[in-house]
Amino acid sequence: MSHDTAIHSLQGRRYLVTGATSGIGQAVALALCERGAAVVALGRRPEALQALADAGCETHALELTDSAALEQLIEATGPFDGLINSAGITHVESALTLPADAIDDVFHTNARASAVAARCVARGMIAAGRSGSIVNVSSQAALVALDDHLAYSTSKAALDGITRALCLELGPHGIRVNSVNPTVTLTPMAQKVWSAPEKRDPMLAAIPLGRFAELEDVVEPILFLLGDGAKMISGVCLPVDGGYTCR
């Protein structure tokens, strides 16, 4: 497949993007629009949804943990050629003091909502006879232990488990399922969180490439996994971490 063919393989296809009002999800939604795909973008921030609408996305405000509302919206807006599960929250706290409610909140958004979205999108794809690709935005925290990340790490490890389970079940229908597992990615929020040298420098020292990920460093692998250039890749949890997890 030529480079041009791989780029154009997203044109005219229809994708659902969750967590589209910030960070990786927003960047993916905009990149898909730029490449000629039709995008249905879900998020919670009205002003960010308006910016996506102005860029050509169909937008919907939704609380993803409301499974019934999520299912209804997917049934009403599908079928799709793929899904990018980018919605995620975190709660950074010692495992010794982490409240049970915080664990539930993180799991409900990062794992359960992603599983619900994936199965609903997949059902529509199968009914319409469409093959395609689902990409879950996981984390390096699913692959290695990080201090104070019990809820986040285990929720993202669960998401990687969802990726593998869906790969097995959906493969016979021509639907591929993969995860990307980024390191610290310099969204506006991350830039603030990781600006303090005492926090930033030890993490950078553990990344062989010596830098954090920019948004495009994560977006481009996602677009690759969605496109025809990755048509034999499924069930992969792909570190996008500058080598952090090689240790």
Side-chain angles (χ1 to χ4, degrees):
M1 177 179 292
S2 71
H3 179 65
D4 287 344
T5 301
I7 290 175
H8 295 310
S9 68
L10 302 175
Q11 287 185 343
R13 295 183 181 176
R14 186 172 175 82
Y15 294 98
L16 178 67
V17 182
T18 72
T21 52
S22 63
I24 294 169
Q26 184 179 58
V28 168
L30 293 172
L32 285 169
C33 284
E34 290 171 0
R35 285 161 174 77
V39 176
V40 176
L42 307 186
R44 294 186 294 185
R45 295 170 51 226
E47 70 281 4
L49 285 174
Q50 184 57 54
L52 289 169
D54 293 343
C57 296
E58 177 184 338
T59 62
H60 298 271
L62 184 73
E63 175 50 65
L64 283 180
T65 56
D66 185 342
S67 297
L70 179 59
E71 290 193 34
Q72 290 172 4
L73 188 145
I74 291 172
E75 290 175 3
T77 56
F80 297 97
D81 296 291
L83 163 70
I84 302 88
N85 266 321
S86 185
I89 62 172
T90 188
H91 187 101
V92 179
E93 185 172 341
S94 168
L96 300 179
T97 59
L98 182 65
D101 287 348
I103 298 173
D104 288 342
D105 289 345
V106 173
F107 263 80
H108 285 170
T109 297
N110 295 2
R112 191 183 75 171
S114 295
V116 171
R119 69 175 173 81
C120 292
V121 168
R123 282 200 304 241
M125 293 171 72
I126 292 167
R130 295 191 183 191
S131 58
S133 175
I134 294 171
V135 179
N136 295 318
V137 179
S138 183
S139 170
Q140 70 179 17
L143 306 175
V144 295
L146 299 176
D147 286 338
D148 301 331
H149 277 66
L150 186 151
Y152 186 74
S153 292
T154 52
S155 72
K156 291 298 190 178
L159 184 57
D160 286 351
I162 290 166
T163 292
R164 289 187 287 269
L166 291 177
C167 163
L168 189 64
E169 290 199 38
L170 301 182
H173 301 283
I175 301 171
R176 300 180 292 106
V177 189
N178 295 287
S179 291
V180 293
N181 298 63
T183 187
V184 174
T185 303
L186 292 177
T187 63
M189 182 179 295
Q191 288 175 351
K192 293 179 182 178
V193 171
W194 292 91
S195 61
E198 63 272 16
K199 185 170 186 177
R200 178 192 65 222
D201 294 349
M203 179 62 81
L204 284 175
I207 299 174
L209 289 184
R211 67 178 181 88
F212 294 142
E214 301 289 343
L215 277 170
E216 67 179 17
D217 297 326
V218 184
V219 170
E220 290 300 326
I222 291 172
L223 298 180
F224 169 71
L225 290 171
L226 291 173
D228 291 345
K231 63 185 178 181
M232 197 57 185
I233 300 176
S234 193
V236 167
C237 299
L238 175 66
V240 184
D241 65 354
Y244 182 90
T245 56
C246 78
R247 295 177 182 273

